[in-house]
Amino acid sequence: MTLAVRYVSARCLETAPAIGVPPGPGEVELAPAFVGICGTDLHIFHGDMDARVDAPAVLGHEMSGRVVRVGPGVEGWQPGDAVTVMPLRWDDACPACRAGHQHICQHLDFIGIDSPGAMQQRWTVPAATLVRLPDSLPLDRAALVEPTAVAVHDVGRAAVREGEKAVVVGGGPVGILIALVARAAGAEVRVVELNPHRRLLAEELGLTAWDPAAGDVSEAVRQWTGDAGADVAFEVSGAAAGVDAAVEVLGVRGRLCLVAIHPRPREVNLHRFFWRELTLIGARLYDRADFERAVTLVADGTVPAERLISKVVPLTEAPAAFTALEGGGDVMKILVDCTDNTQGAHA
């Protein structure tokens, strides 16, 4: 018998015994080592996704771990291999898949939301979702590969080029990762963030961070760019004010990449889009190339994942960690340690 963290109802999580599912054809059984808690997990915790999540539901999709067993027909993987999981299962039949956009399949199974996730001591997934990790990469840092893949996809969708000026509105974990990936692509980056702890972390990582409460961000961008405006802005805050700021900082033919999930419609200054010929770009999830690039960025230190990890808690304390994340404050990323030493999982 192993343990799993399950969402039961709004603001109610439980750590309870779970029965492992043996790997079937084309599947592998994993021993998750570390699982990150992300904003989507918090939305589930608040009950905002009850129409989609079938409770009781095991959460978690930002993970690292090792292979325990392989099912029939699985080749190229063996027990002990260090892996992360690209948690997407698509149908290969819908119009999106037929057009080559499987990651936004119209019937997508996002593993950890639509089906059981990684916050458990044993987890069975399709072998096709595995992404290999280098042995030199510590598994706690590797748990940040998935959100880094989000950032890689966002920067790619925005087509960030060397020498461009980019503004990231929202300095949470994904915002900081986008800033780091954009900088690695050669862009000059500014992060806009209200929280002083997050601004400090950005500065410690060599980024320039602005407090929107301390002055007019659009004026700061005007001075920074010589009145040209930014080439690209990323809206990562999820707030109406963030949308306004991201639109206002853009120069002629600038690109706005929408990253945050906005649960309700927002007013947008469409006249600005008309006047400056702006482009709005949606960015959702990632593909395998994004994941593999993310592994490289975390492994070589371009993304200093260890600096984003605020705390690591045991599986039994995961429910309390969700509550701690609600307040934001000085917390960036909390990892749940799922290691089951009693059954030989080696992290």
Side-chain angles (χ1 to χ4, degrees):
M1 190 72 69
T2 60
L3 294 177
V5 175
R6 295 185 297 194
Y7 168 75
V8 179
S9 60
R11 302 190 57 79
C12 180
L13 298 176
E14 66 175 10
T15 302
I19 299 174
V21 179
E27 294 181 333
V28 295
E29 183 182 13
L30 304 179
F34 297 95
V35 181
I37 303 173
C38 82
T40 302
D41 297 322
L42 285 177
H43 283 305
I44 296 172
F45 176 60
H46 293 152
D48 298 336
M49 299 177 67
D50 282 357
R52 180 175 172 185
V53 175
D54 187 16
V58 180
L59 306 184
H61 56 271
E62 302 178 359
M63 66 79 64
S64 63
R66 294 188 183 275
V67 174
V68 174
R69 288 189 291 174
V70 301
V74 173
E75 298 181 355
W77 299 103
Q78 60 185 5
D81 285 345
V83 298
T84 185
V85 166
M86 187 175 77
L88 308 180
R89 186 188 286 117
W90 50 80
D91 66 8
D92 254 341
C94 72
C97 287
R98 295 199 303 270
H101 308 306
Q102 287 91 344
H103 71 289
I104 47 175
C105 170
Q106 290 166 229
H107 308 107
L108 185 69
D109 173 6
F110 192 107
I111 304 172
I113 299 175
D114 304 305
S115 56
M119 213 168 287
Q120 53 184 317
Q121 292 173 328
R122 290 293 184 271
W123 189 34
T124 296
V125 297
T129 65
L130 299 187
V131 178
R132 192 176 300 277
L133 297 172
D135 290 334
S136 59
L137 179 58
L139 290 183
D140 56 348
R141 300 179 190 182
L144 272 77
V145 165
E146 193 272 352
T148 301
V150 170
V152 171
H153 186 75
D154 297 339
V155 171
R157 283 284 292 152
V160 173
R161 296 182 291 272
E162 186 172 357
E164 289 194 316
K165 289 180 166 57
V167 176
V168 179
V169 181
V174 172
I176 293 296
L177 289 169
I178 288 172
L180 293 170
V181 175
R183 183 175 69 181
E188 296 180 48
V189 184
R190 298 292 184 268
V191 177
V192 178
E193 172 57 45
L194 281 166
N195 184 289
H197 172 76
R198 291 177 170 180
R199 286 199 309 275
L200 177 60
L201 176 60
E203 297 280 359
E204 290 174 347
L205 295 176
L207 299 164
T208 300
W210 290 334
D211 180 0
D216 184 351
V217 171
S218 59
E219 175 60 21
V221 171
R222 189 187 70 78
Q223 294 182 22
W224 172 45
T225 63
D227 204 30
D231 300 291
V232 60
F234 296 89
E235 204 308 281
V236 202
S237 72
V243 175
D244 292 341
V247 172
E248 290 301 314
V249 301
L250 289 171
V252 170
R253 291 206 166 180
R255 289 111 56 203
L256 170 57
C257 185
L258 182 61
V259 179
I261 299 173
H262 289 261
R264 61 183 61 85
R266 301 292 191 193
E267 289 189 8
V268 179
N269 184 356
L270 292 180
H271 184 268
R272 189 79 165 185
F273 274 80
F274 158 75
W275 200 251
R276 293 201 166 187
E277 291 196 350
L278 305 181
T279 299
L280 175 61
I281 300 164
R284 178 187 170 201
L285 300 176
Y286 30 64
D287 58 26
R288 181 163 287 271
D290 297 324
F291 241 84
E292 292 172 350
R293 174 64 175 157
V295 170
T296 298
L297 292 174
V298 174
D300 69 13
T302 300
V303 170
E306 69 281 3
R307 299 296 305 278
L308 275 69
I309 300 170
S310 302
K311 184 188 298 185
V312 179
V313 302
L315 192 66
T316 52
E317 295 180 17
F322 275 76
T323 302
L325 274 171
E326 286 183 293
D330 294 347
V331 178
M332 183 64 75
K333 176 64 68 175
I334 295 180
L335 301 185
V336 176
D337 184 348
C338 297
T339 305
D340 177 13
N341 292 317
T342 64
Q343 295 198 29
H346 46 295

